[in-house]
Amino acid sequence: MFSYFFKRLLQAILVMIVVAFVSFSLFNFVGDPVISLTGEDSSIERQAEVREAIGLNDPVYIQFSRFLGNVIQGDFGISYQLKREVSDLIAERMPATLELVFVSALLAIIVGVILGVYTGIHRDSFVSNVILVISLAGVSLPTFIIGIMLIYLFSVILGVLPSFGRGEVIDLGFWSTGFLTISGLKALILPSVTLSLFQMTYVIRLVRAEMMEILQTDYIKFAKARGIKKNTINYKHALKNGLIPVITITGINIGTLIAFSIITETVFQWPGMGLLFINAVYFVDIPIMSAYMIMVAFIFVMINFIVDITYYFIDPRIRIKDEMS
């Protein structure tokens, strides 16, 4: 068991080192940090002084080791545009993004599994066909188009939901949340639905395919022949085995939602990490861009690590293979 955990942990560390090197390379290949810090009109002497002060004259391996050490301590440098610590900006913006991703993931998983099971059991019904057609439209339309359509319907025509912003939030000291206010919950509805639709469609189709395949297996046919109740077969036996691949998709889902929340946050002007990153790209704010890449990669790696560990306890084949190796 420990060898399996160690291998996965080693892979996670190697991936993070590669991502950190790519992020570090941004400082050398995208713009000039000295010009960003001193301004284009600064003298050559001033630029040389700043270059020496921030260590750009050191060999690359020393610069990278220093960068890696700072990242491990949570120090991502100072924003070129905002002149503030990037770690402080992340601490301010991360709650908004995590709350949006949490609600979106919850919607995608719960609704996706329920509709996937229904369409898998009642594969030829009219309702199942309608669900599949709508899901196909959901996966075909770009996220920003879906967001604009929802804004037009619920904000412009009906006027029941806000079209931008996070609403009223409550500062708990270590976290600012909109879950505790009516305006915060209302502001969360449209962006979370927009962000969850693509992943929800994917979960629906995956669960449906798994259910249809499992319901055709011999042990399900044997269970039917023994007279076991239909609901017991569908939900206790078939669904239980069909959820194993959904665990992987769920893990990747959360990381993907964080990475692709950029578009949703831009459409709804949601004050999270995605909107911060878009502004950083516009102003070539390398420290924020670098920090965002590392944060998203870290979340992806940790989620995949947790999924691998969960697989180990759920799927006996992995344990047997690990014991034999």
Side-chain angles (χ1 to χ4, degrees), residues 298-316:
F298 178 76
I299 293 171
F300 260 107
V301 168
M302 288 306 300
I303 289 173
N304 284 325
F305 178 74
I306 293 171
V307 167
D308 286 340
I309 301 305
T310 306
Y311 251 29
Y312 184 88
F313 291 105
I314 290 179
D315 195 339

Side-chain angles (χ1 to χ4, degrees), residues 86-124:
V86 175
S87 55
D88 292 339
L89 294 171
I90 291 175
E92 289 178 4
R93 298 296 190 103
M94 189 59 78
T97 295
L98 291 182
E99 287 186 358
L100 175 61
V101 168
F102 172 75
V103 175
S104 300
L106 211 59
L107 280 174
I109 295 166
I110 294 175
V111 178
V113 169
I114 292 174
L115 296 183
V117 170
Y118 180 86
T119 55
I121 296 173
H122 309 281
R123 65 187 70 177
D124 296 322

Side-chain angles (χ1 to χ4, degrees), residues 191-212:
S192 60
V193 170
T194 301
L195 186 59
S196 68
L197 277 179
F198 181 84
Q199 306 300 332
M200 186 189 300
T201 300
Y202 198 60
V203 172
I204 290 173
R205 293 185 171 273
L206 177 64
V207 173
R208 178 177 183 271
E210 289 293 324
M211 288 292 293
M212 290 174 62

Side-chain angles (χ1 to χ4, degrees), residues 31-42 47 50-51 83:
D32 187 346
V34 175
I35 297 297
S36 299
L37 290 171
T38 61
E40 296 182 358
D41 299 330
S42 61
Q47 293 179 16
V50 172
R51 188 176 297 276
K83 309 300 181 185

Side-chain angles (χ1 to χ4, degrees), residues 31 41 55 60 72 74 100 146 155 174 179 187 202 209 213 224 226 260 274 278 307 316 322 324:
D41 299 330
V60 174
I72 292 173
L100 175 61
I146 294 174
S155 300
F174 63 96
F179 286 159
Y202 198 60
E213 182 179 348
K224 291 179 180 178
R226 289 180 58 192
F260 291 98
I278 286 293
V307 167
D322 181 56
M324 293 176 61

Side-chain angles (χ1 to χ4, degrees), residues 9 18 67 69 122 126 153 177 216 227-228 243 249 263 273 299:
L9 182 61
V18 171
F67 174 81
H122 309 281
F126 174 76
L153 176 60
T177 179
Q216 299 301 317
I228 298 176
L243 287 180
I249 296 303
I263 300 173
M273 284 294 299
I299 293 171

